[in-house]
Amino acid sequence: SVYFGMLADLEKNLPPCDRFIFNYDVTKPDLSTVGILDAVRRSYHSPNQPNIHLMIQQYGKGKSHFAIAVANFFKKPFHSQEVQGILSQLEKATSAKNQSISEGLKLFKEKQRHQHLVICLSGDQGGDIRKQFLQQLVKNLEEAGIQDSLAQHICSEPLRYLESLNPENRVKAEKYLESIGNPDGDLNSIIRLLRENNSGVISTVKKLAFQITGFTLDFTADINIQAILEDLLKNCCTGDNAHFQGILILFDELNYYLKSWAADDIGAGGTALQNITNICENYKGKIALLSFTQIHPGRALGISANAIPEYQKIATRLAPKDGTTYDNPTSSLELVIENLLLRKNNSSWQTFHSQWHNTLRREAETAFEGRIKIYKNKGWSFQEFYTHLSEGCFPLYPLTAYLLCNLDFTQDRTAIQFIKGYVKNFIATQPVDNAGKLNYIYPIALVDTFIENFSNYSVYNHYKKAVELVAGADNPDELIVIKALFLYEASGENLTKSDREDHQEILVALTGLTKLKLQTALDKLEKERDLIYHRPEIKLYRFWEGINPTGVQEEIEEKIKYQTTSINDVVAYCGQISILKQYPSHDKITATQFVKNNKLVSEDWRFEFKIYSIHEFIRALENNRTLRDTKEKGILAYVLAETQEELQAFRNNISNYLAKSPIKNRIAVAIPIEETGNLARVILKIKVLEETDAADKRLFGTAYKQLLQRWQEEVNTRLKRLLNDCTFHCVGLEKIPSAEQRKAQRVISVLLQDLYPFVPPVDEIDKMRSGHLTGKKIVGWTAKQIFIEDNLSQQTLPDRSYSTVIDQIFVRLWGLFKKTSDKYIIQEPTNEKIRAAWDKISEITDLEGLPQKVIDLEKIWQVLSAPSFGYSEYNFTMLLAGWLAIHRKEVSLRGYIELGSKRLNVTLKTQSLKEWGNTDILQNPNAFVED
């Protein structure tokens, strides 16, 4: 345990300085301890530098160690043991990276005329933080020989109390002082000392007051931290007679204090933190604040809702957004671990290196490329990883060194203890190689060493039970494998593998066993001892939880032994569990590229996912009715097969199947990389297990739930993996760059682009989506005004949304209107795509030399709503209204005044556009088109 009280103990204070392991990352200096120390140093470099700093790091990662080192760096002189030890560690951390930063810190200390006044506060001590502040400050001032600061003028309250005592209480006071031997003199002597601002007698005054009143008076309740700090900065940190270079306030356990403050701000010190941050803002270059916490204050964890508004005001002050909030700075243990092992510059090492260099490098490469991602994310090169975690830390296996540095509970000091204890003993007692292989310390060695820490993990009880059952086993590899399985689960995200990788691969790396020995032990534990089970869908071994369900599984398998299954069972099951709504979280896909290129609304341009067997799909391709079952623009068909041979044959023939299909332009195909294999059998087992009667379910107990869950998870995981990894096919696939042919939306986009080359753009405005209520109002109202000649002006628009749609789509994109200073004037569209549809209307309505011609609007709608136009009811209504308006002198409309269900015994009428504009037929564009 490290705490600020160690600063006063020379023996305890020195180790956190000369042994603290600094780290430095040149690409992310602010996430390294060297970078943070330098940032605090720069706080005194210029008034333009930020001076409020916050370090966020979890328990056990060395925050308090670092705080002690920072305090000593600023408080102690350059030649002190503490500062020299810190500078030595800084040089080690920055060597071969950026020595200028360590040289800059060294020069900073070398040129200092005075040391800094360092005030250390701990938020976990409870109570009024102002009292702690004053205690620490007065102590530091006394050590510096300062007697006349405002902080030391805190005697006024106790002085007034003593001077106000009545004769009776003065007698009581004198008797009490005499009873304790008058350590500070009699009552008059104490009064004199208080008048001289001697704060040393306050404790005596408190005891005296308790004897008189029966309770302890709080003379420090109204301490003005802001005034005290301002006094120190002006009188002790400035000018020729300055005692200090500046002031540094270190605040450990900030989160603990903030919770106390949020619960009782007055009891915790009121505006103390605001006072400190105010001074920091007003005196940049002379004072700095560095706080330490486990979680970001802005998250407000554990803060009541009522307190959050005020809490956030102070939290934002303490967690600046100007780059001085250091969230989870990295540990540096990896960079120095080699120094704790054997020195590697002697002849023995050179001999070893020449013999085993290739092995060390190969093992490091396997770990770096396939097992451990964290160091790549940190910007490490492979050579750095090899130097520090393979060659640099032998005999630790690379994974062992990595876990030692990164398991949740390992801290710098516990890791070092492991190396100085277990590892040193291993080096002293074990040969370098064993049976022609390097004799590594494999990761399972961590299990026994840190077993008490591992006992907090949920999987520990299953591990402990397994250990008890294999105790004394003839094959010692069983226990080794159990430890490896436990370590893998307990390590969580620190150890990962892909679902396609065999679990055995990483277990070999954890144990050092050969694959044959490992598999023998796994088979024994799974098939004979029933301690573990294998999840084939993710290729993972796990401990059984609760009652062993092997017997239940055997009973189910016996029941289904003679039952047949097929790929159709898998397809049917997909529908039952709505797998497409689970992955990819919905059952439709948007043609994103098509929508973007044509400025459309995504909801109108989607394909529906469907799942087929090969035979079902081939039949669907031959039937025009297939598309009647979907409301979307087409279907993206996932086609499943039981074997790789079937999948490959179908993949080879899909182009021919599509080429012959009457619906080829609206069908895209997804063919999974993986076959379904025995999924149909697993699904049958689920069905039979679910049909088990209630009595048997009670008999099976938790084994029933575990087995059902396991099989369901197996099926779901494998199905999702199938759907997630497919090759996609469609007519025109060659138009898509090969790098993008595995993107489903690109496949359906190319289909839609071929189908709808004249699709009307709507500038991606959602209001033009089919069925949008606001869009319905805008289109209906606008079309009505077009029918009523010269009745569309900016002044008549109902609200701003109307002008947005009209201006962006029908003026700028379509060119259907010409906009003047106050009016919208209908014109023939200027957009080529819109003009093509316009001309198509003209073509359909061409009189062909006849004096009169009757055209059913349904015919125009059928043409424009289908390929190659793709008009929605809204777009069609606007274009048709515009075309009719341009030709209003040549056309009239015949129809019913009432639409839909309102049409009862109403006769057909032939009227001008203006007359129709004064009816409600355009109020609902959808109804207008349908009728």
Side-chain angles (χ1 to χ4, degrees):
S1 178
V2 177
Y3 54 96
F4 283 137
M6 295 168 61
L7 288 164
D9 187 326
L10 179 61
E11 187 177 339
K12 293 181 178 180
N13 184 43
L14 184 57
C17 299
D18 63 6
R19 298 181 193 173
F20 182 76
I21 302 169
F22 282 93
N23 61 82
Y24 183 67
D25 185 343
V26 69
T27 62
K28 298 177 182 177
D30 290 344
L31 291 182
S32 62
T33 45
V34 174
I36 296 172
L37 179 63
D38 190 57
V40 177
R41 189 268 307 171
R42 293 197 306 271
S43 296
Y44 304 101
H45 179 71
S46 162
N48 297 323
Q49 292 289 334
N51 62 345
I52 298 177
H53 308 267
L54 176 67
M55 179 175 175
I56 305 169
Q57 200 173 50
Q58 287 297 318
Y59 284 109
K61 297 298 182 182
K63 291 188 304 301
S64 298
H65 283 79
F66 180 57
I68 293 289
V70 173
N72 279 283
F73 181 80
F74 286 95
K75 183 176 183 179
K76 299 287 185 177
F78 173 71
H79 293 291
S80 67
Q81 286 182 283
E82 292 85 356
V83 171
Q84 287 301 308
I86 291 169
L87 291 174
S88 174
Q89 293 290 6
L90 288 170
E91 186 178 352
K92 289 179 183 177
T94 57
S95 62
K97 288 195 173 184
N98 182 8
Q99 286 189 299
S100 62
I101 192 169
S102 59
E103 288 297 325
L105 287 162
K106 180 179 179 181
L107 192 63
F108 169 74
K109 289 302 295 182
E110 233 174 349
K111 291 191 173 183
Q112 271 189 317
R113 289 179 56 209
H114 308 288
Q115 307 318 311
H116 285 74
L117 172 60
V118 179
I119 305 168
C120 301
L121 305 175
S122 294
D124 58 352
Q125 292 188 11
D128 191 336
I129 198 68
R130 294 174 299 181
K131 294 181 182 178
Q132 189 183 153
F133 173 85
L134 193 61
Q135 290 168 355
Q136 295 298 319
L137 177 58
V138 171
K139 180 181 177 182
N140 285 333
L141 293 177
E142 289 175 352
E143 289 176 356
I146 297 173
Q147 299 292 332
D148 58 349
S149 71
L150 179 62
Q152 291 158 306
H153 295 170
I154 59 175
C155 303
S156 57
E157 284 295 319
L159 177 61
R160 280 197 295 272
Y161 171 73
L162 293 183
E163 289 177 336
S164 67
L165 291 176
N166 59 35
E168 181 183 352
N169 285 336
R170 285 182 68 92
V171 171
K172 290 181 181 179
E174 293 287 12
K175 284 183 178 180
Y176 170 72
L177 292 172
E178 185 177 347
S179 70
I180 62 173
N182 290 319
D184 300 307
D186 60 11
L187 187 61
N188 288 330
S189 298
I190 292 176
I191 291 174
R192 177 176 53 79
L193 290 171
L194 288 172
R195 286 172 179 167
E196 294 173 357
N197 296 310
N198 188 334
S199 60
V201 298
I202 292 181
S203 61
T204 301
V205 177
K206 285 187 174 183
K207 295 174 184 176
L208 183 152
F210 180 78
Q211 293 297 319
I212 295 173
T213 65
F215 56 90
T216 302
L217 297 181
D218 188 357
F219 294 123
T220 58
D222 296 320
I223 298 166
N224 189 332
I225 289 181
Q226 191 163 336
I228 290 171
L229 288 172
E230 195 164 17
D231 169 67
L232 290 170
L233 288 166
K234 288 180 178 178
N235 298 313
C236 298
C237 302
T238 307
D240 295 335
N241 297 321
H243 289 81
F244 304 109
Q245 192 83 11
I247 299 175
L248 172 61
I249 300 174
L250 300 175
F251 202 128
D252 200 8
E253 300 292 351
L254 176 66
N255 184 59
Y256 191 100
Y257 173 75
L258 288 175
K259 284 185 178 180
S260 300
W261 182 86
D264 178 11
D265 59 335
I266 301 302
T271 60
L273 281 179
Q274 290 95 322
N275 295 155
I276 291 172
T277 53
N278 285 343
I279 285 292
C280 288
E281 288 293 329
N282 296 336
Y283 289 87
K284 285 188 173 182
K286 278 295 181 182
I287 185 171
L289 168 66
L290 172 58
S291 305
F292 304 87
T293 183
Q294 288 79 42
I295 59 174
H296 196 293
R299 293 173 62 188
L301 293 181
I303 308 301
S304 69
N306 292 336
I308 282 181
E310 289 302 314
Y311 170 88
Q312 290 290 6
K313 291 178 183 179
I314 188 62
T316 53
R317 290 175 174 229
L318 297 167
K321 295 182 179 179
D322 56 4
T324 57
T325 295
Y326 317 110
D327 200 342
N328 195 27
T330 55
S331 170
S332 61
L333 188 57
E334 297 92 339
L335 304 181
V336 296
I337 202 170
E338 58 184 314
N339 294 325
L340 299 170
L341 297 170
L342 288 174
R343 299 296 177 188
K344 302 179 177 63
N345 53 4
N346 54 34
S347 59
S348 297
W349 172 257
Q350 298 305 322
T351 302
F352 167 82
H353 186 267
S354 63
Q355 181 180 356
W356 296 105
H357 168 73
N358 290 338
T359 301
L360 290 166
R361 196 167 187 86
R362 184 175 62 251
E363 297 293 351
E365 202 165 60
T366 300
F368 185 73
E369 297 295 340
R371 299 275 173 235
I372 306 169
K373 306 299 182 186
I374 183 175
Y375 297 110
K376 282 186 178 180
N377 296 337
K378 288 181 178 180
W380 281 32
S381 66
F382 168 71
Q383 187 57 43
E384 284 181 296
F385 179 84
Y386 171 72
T387 300
H388 297 297
L389 287 175
S390 181
E391 179 184 284
C393 66
F394 181 81
L396 294 179
Y397 192 67
L399 274 183
T400 312
Y402 158 69
L403 289 174
L404 183 63
C405 298
N406 290 280
L407 286 172
D408 293 340
F409 54 78
T410 55
Q411 306 162 12
D412 290 350
R413 56 185 178 271
T414 55
I416 292 171
Q417 287 165 2
F418 173 74
I419 292 170
K420 289 184 174 180
Y422 183 93
V423 179
K424 293 286 188 180
N425 181 65
F426 183 91
I427 292 170
T429 59
Q430 296 291 321
V432 168
D433 61 307
N434 186 6
K437 292 176 56 181
L438 272 180
N439 194 11
Y440 277 116
I441 296 175
Y442 286 95
I444 58 167
L446 300 173
V447 175
D448 289 334
T449 304
F450 296 104
I451 193 61
E452 289 186 7
N453 304 91
F454 278 121
S455 64
N456 296 321
Y457 289 76
S458 58
V459 72
Y460 174 74
N461 289 331
H462 308 301
Y463 161 74
K464 186 177 178 182
K465 177 183 175 183
V467 169
E468 291 172 354
L469 290 173
V470 300
D474 294 336
N475 184 358
D477 295 342
E478 291 181 49
L479 181 58
I480 292 173
V481 171
I482 284 174
K483 289 180 180 180
L485 290 169
F486 171 63
L487 181 61
Y488 178 82
E489 290 201 41
S491 297
E493 294 183 359
N494 287 311
L495 286 178
T496 58
K497 74 170 197 66
S498 70
D499 288 349
R500 293 185 178 181
E501 179 189 21
D502 288 331
H503 200 183
Q504 290 89 327
E505 296 296 328
I506 196 168
L507 293 176
V508 165
L510 295 177
T511 62
L513 294 174
T514 64
K515 288 186 178 180
L516 178 60
K517 284 188 171 184
L518 179 83
Q519 191 61 56
T520 301
L522 285 170
D523 290 344
K524 181 84 171 181
L525 294 169
E526 179 190 10
K527 297 173 182 176
E528 294 185 32
R529 295 192 183 275
D530 288 338
L531 293 176
I532 63 174
Y533 66 92
H534 186 236
R535 293 185 59 186
E537 76 279 9
I538 54 175
K539 298 185 177 181
L540 188 73
Y541 286 92
R542 300 290 298 271
F543 289 107
W544 274 119
E545 300 177 9
I547 299 173
N548 190 317
T550 303
V552 180
Q553 180 174 340
E554 291 174 352
E555 184 177 326
I556 297 297
E557 288 175 346
E558 181 64 26
K559 286 182 178 180
I560 68 169
K561 184 163 52 175
Y562 300 110
Q563 296 186 38
T564 59
T565 56
S566 73
I567 189 64
N568 293 327
D569 298 318
V570 180
V571 174
Y573 186 79
C574 289
Q576 290 170 20
I577 66 171
S578 301
I579 189 68
L580 289 172
K581 290 186 178 179
Q582 299 175 43
Y583 180 85
S585 75
H586 49 73
D587 55 0
K588 300 175 183 65
I589 181 172
T590 298
T592 307
Q593 192 72 39
F594 175 72
V595 167
K596 182 179 179 181
N597 290 346
N598 295 281
K599 298 183 177 181
L600 306 173
V601 179
S602 58
E603 284 83 348
D604 285 344
W605 300 97
R606 302 187 299 192
F607 271 38
E608 182 179 357
F609 292 127
K610 289 195 174 183
I611 297 178
Y612 297 89
S613 67
I614 292 176
H615 296 300
E616 285 177 332
F617 180 68
I618 292 173
R619 285 199 302 271
L621 278 180
E622 298 169 351
N623 194 338
N624 274 314
R625 299 184 62 182
T626 298
L627 293 173
R628 296 179 189 176
D629 296 331
T630 181
K631 296 180 180 179
E632 306 304 328
K633 297 297 182 184
I635 293 172
L636 175 57
Y638 286 89
V639 183
L640 310 184
E642 284 189 317
T643 67
Q644 274 294 332
E645 291 76 13
E646 290 176 298
L647 283 177
Q648 192 56 49
F650 181 65
R651 193 176 284 111
N652 293 338
N653 291 298
I654 185 60
S655 296
N656 293 332
Y657 291 138
L658 288 173
K660 298 174 184 177
S661 173
I663 57 173
K664 60 187 176 184
N665 292 321
R666 292 179 62 189
I667 292 285
V669 186
I671 306 177
I673 299 299
E674 291 187 32
E675 72 281 6
T676 62
N678 70 335
L679 265 181
R681 301 299 296 174
V682 181
I683 289 169
L684 179 58
K685 288 193 284 188
I686 291 173
K687 179 182 178 182
V688 172
L689 183 61
E690 287 179 326
E691 292 172 353
T692 302
D693 61 45
D696 281 345
K697 287 180 181 178
R698 287 195 297 270
L699 179 64
F700 294 157
T702 57
Y704 168 82
K705 292 181 180 179
Q706 288 183 353
L707 198 54
L708 181 61
Q709 182 181 0
R710 174 191 165 188
W711 285 338
Q712 287 174 336
E713 286 179 358
E714 176 184 349
V715 172
N716 285 7
T717 301
R718 289 173 62 181
L719 284 174
K720 289 176 184 178
R721 192 167 68 223
L722 287 175
L723 300 176
N724 190 36
D725 193 7
C726 300
T727 58
F728 294 98
H729 308 265
C730 70
V731 292
L733 184 67
E734 68 280 356
K735 298 177 183 178
I736 306 173
S738 57
E740 297 191 358
Q741 289 181 4
R742 294 291 293 271
K743 297 179 180 178
Q745 69 86 13
R746 289 288 280 117
V747 174
I748 65 171
S749 288
V750 79
L751 284 176
L752 290 176
Q753 192 62 61
D754 287 343
L755 273 173
Y756 298 102
F758 300 114
V759 62
V762 292
D763 209 24
E764 301 181 51
I765 294 178
D766 189 59
K767 294 180 181 63
M768 291 302 289
R769 166 173 54 82
S770 294
H772 196 289
L773 295 179
T774 303
K776 180 178 78 172
K777 293 178 182 178
I778 294 172
V779 170
W781 182 88
T782 307
K784 185 173 183 177
Q785 306 313 307
I786 295 174
F787 272 32
I788 303 173
E789 191 174 5
D790 298 329
N791 199 33
L792 187 60
S793 68
Q794 297 181 54
Q795 289 72 28
T796 60
L797 297 180
D799 59 52
R800 195 171 182 176
S801 63
Y802 285 70
S803 62
T804 299
V805 171
I806 294 171
D807 289 351
Q808 290 185 217
I809 300 175
F810 304 122
V811 175
R812 298 191 189 113
L813 268 182
W814 289 23
L816 185 62
F817 290 113
K818 178 181 179 182
K819 186 178 180 182
T820 66
S821 59
D822 63 340
K823 293 190 70 176
Y824 293 95
I825 301 172
I826 198 75
Q827 63 180 12
E828 293 190 0
T830 58
N831 183 287
E832 290 183 8
K833 292 182 179 181
I834 308 303
R835 185 55 188 255
W838 182 280
D839 291 344
K840 177 58 70 173
I841 298 175
S842 298
E843 178 187 320
I844 294 171
T845 57
D846 184 19
L847 291 176
E848 299 175 337
L850 299 173
Q852 181 177 327
K853 188 175 184 180
V854 177
I855 302 297
D856 193 340
L857 291 182
E858 174 69 16
K859 180 179 179 181
I860 300 175
W861 162 247
Q862 287 177 351
V863 171
L864 293 191
S865 62
S868 55
F869 299 101
Y871 275 67
S872 68
E873 289 86 348
Y874 293 178
N875 297 331
F876 175 76
T877 300
M878 284 299 300
L879 184 68
L880 179 66
W883 189 92
L884 291 171
I886 289 292
H887 299 86
R888 68 172 62 248
K889 293 181 180 179
E890 306 166 35
V891 300
S892 61
L893 285 182
R894 184 173 67 182
Y896 297 100
I897 295 177
E898 298 290 345
L899 298 180
S901 59
K902 294 182 180 179
R903 189 196 306 151
L904 296 172
N905 302 318
V906 179
T907 57
L908 285 167
K909 282 194 175 185
T910 301
Q911 299 183 144
S912 67
L913 289 188
K914 186 172 185 179
E915 289 173 312
W916 283 111
N918 288 311
T919 70
D920 292 332
I921 63 165
L922 293 170
Q923 188 172 346
N924 184 345
N926 290 333
F928 172 71
V929 171
E930 288 174 6
D931 281 18

